[in-house]
Amino acid sequence: MLRYTPLLLPSLALAAENPGPGTGTYIQAMLALLFIVALLLGAAWLARKLSGGKGFGQGGMKILGGVALGPRERIVLIEAGDTWLVIGIVPGQIRTLHRMPRTALPSDTPEAPPAAPAAFADWLKTFAERRRENP
C-alpha cells in the first residue's frame, strides 16, 4: 500500500488547492432560477391583463355534443351565439354541415319503441311455425 502513495499525491495536492464550487455559487444559481421563474409568471400575468382576462375557450362558443364516426372522424354540435353549427371534422379539414337557430335540446325521455321490431317478431314466429309444419 505504501508503494502506491506517491502516485496519489499529485491528485491530493490538486484537491487541496481547488476545493470546488462554494456555497456562493449555489446561491447565485438559485437566485438566477428564481428570477427566470418570476419573469415567466410576470409575462403570463401581463399577457392575461392585455387580452382582457379572457382565456382560451371562454368566448361565445361552446361544444354541446359530438359523435365519433371513426377513429379520426367526428361530428360536433357547437353553440356560437344564437346559432347552432353542426360541424364535420376529419384530418386536415373542418366543414360546416348545417346551421340552425338555437333552441332547447330535446329531452332524453324514452319514446315508445317503433312497431318494426314487433312486426319482425311476429314474422319470425310465423316463419318458425311454418318450418315446424313442413320439415
Side-chain angles (χ1 to χ4, degrees):
M1 189 80 152
L2 294 175
R3 292 187 324 188
Y4 298 110
T5 306
L7 295 176
L8 296 176
L9 288 178
S11 62
L12 290 175
L14 286 175
E17 289 176 10
N18 189 5
T23 308
T25 305
Y26 290 117
I27 292 173
Q28 184 180 7
M30 289 301 283
L31 288 175
L33 181 63
L34 288 174
F35 176 72
I36 291 171
V37 169
L39 192 64
L40 286 172
L41 291 175
W45 176 81
L46 184 64
R48 186 173 172 195
K49 286 296 179 184
L50 291 177
S51 70
K54 289 187 178 180
F56 181 75
Q58 295 178 354
M61 294 192 335
K62 64 180 170 179
I63 297 175
L64 299 176
V67 62
L69 301 176
R72 299 175 69 183
E73 299 88 15
R74 55 190 315 112
I75 294 179
V76 179
L77 178 63
I78 295 178
E79 180 181 320
D82 60 346
T83 305
W84 282 355
L85 302 170
V86 180
I87 295 178
I89 302 171
V90 296
Q93 277 187 335
I94 298 175
R95 292 209 175 181
T96 303
L97 303 176
H98 186 67
R99 291 174 188 232
M100 60 185 134
R102 186 176 122 197
T103 60
L105 286 174
S107 62
D108 292 333
T109 57
E111 298 177 7
F120 178 73
D122 292 339
W123 176 81
L124 187 60
K125 186 187 285 185
T126 308
F127 181 73
E129 288 173 0
R130 274 195 240 157
R131 186 136 188 191
R132 285 187 203 142
E133 293 172 1
N134 300 326

